[in-house]
Amino acid sequence: MTPVGSWHSTDEKTGELKSLIVITDTGGVLNGHIDKLLRKDADQKRLCTQCSDDRKDKPMLGLEIIRGAKQAQGKEVWEGGKILDPENGKNYTLRMTPIEGGKKLEVRGSIAFFGRTQTWVRVQ
């Protein structure tokens, strides 16, 4: 059970598929990027205008939204990295936990004590 692979994220308000995220492992460090925008009205040429770091004004397609996650010692949890919310340009502390035998991924982004958790579904 690992977060490596392809995942569908869902809009929390509408339940509509939002994007296809691909997570890769490079030497034990996980990074992930947006591979496809899935909303029916999505602008495939949209830029990350809200980003404030090196991703400012970069295309959403291919945009690295997960950086630097590592597996916690002896646990099926990946943390220590950051996740970007391209909607607001903010970076959050990241925690990813595979659930349901790796079919789903709990993705938690937080700042201090505040955060939210999304459940992504593995693409078979």
Side-chain angles (χ1 to χ4, degrees), residues 13-70:
K13 295 176 184 128
T14 66
E16 178 182 20
L17 286 180
K18 193 168 164 181
S19 56
L20 173 65
I21 311 293
V22 175
I23 299 175
T24 57
D25 182 330
T26 306
V29 179
L30 302 190
N31 297 302
H33 67 273
I34 299 172
D35 197 58
K36 191 172 188 181
L37 300 175
L38 300 173
R39 288 186 176 137
K40 55 184 169 275
D41 60 344
D43 176 3
Q44 299 296 323
K45 295 183 174 149
R46 184 172 162 212
L47 303 178
C48 191
T49 56
Q50 297 297 317
C51 293
S52 59
D53 58 12
D54 60 303
R55 295 168 279 200
K56 173 107 177 114
D57 296 327
K58 297 284 194 256
M60 293 292 241
L61 290 181
L63 189 70
E64 189 175 54
I65 62 165
I66 292 173
R67 288 183 169 171
K70 296 179 182 173

Side-chain angles (χ1 to χ4, degrees), residues 49-124:
T49 56
Q50 297 297 317
C51 293
S52 59
D53 58 12
D54 60 303
R55 295 168 279 200
K56 173 107 177 114
D57 296 327
K58 297 284 194 256
M60 293 292 241
L61 290 181
L63 189 70
E64 189 175 54
I65 62 165
I66 292 173
R67 288 183 169 171
K70 296 179 182 173
Q71 186 169 8
Q73 184 84 27
K75 297 181 184 174
E76 300 260 335
V77 173
W78 282 257
E79 55 192 10
K82 295 285 185 182
I83 187 164
L84 169 74
D85 181 345
E87 303 288 322
N88 64 22
K90 293 182 180 171
N91 281 290
Y92 299 89
T93 301
L94 172 65
R95 182 180 176 96
M96 297 184 292
T97 309
I99 58 173
E100 294 183 26
K103 293 178 184 164
K104 293 184 178 180
L105 185 65
E106 278 188 354
V107 181
R108 178 154 182 84
S110 57
I111 294 178
F113 300 108
F114 303 99
R116 72 175 201 242
T117 303
Q118 292 183 338
T119 302
W120 296 354
V121 178
R122 188 179 294 276
V123 178
Q124 299 300 329

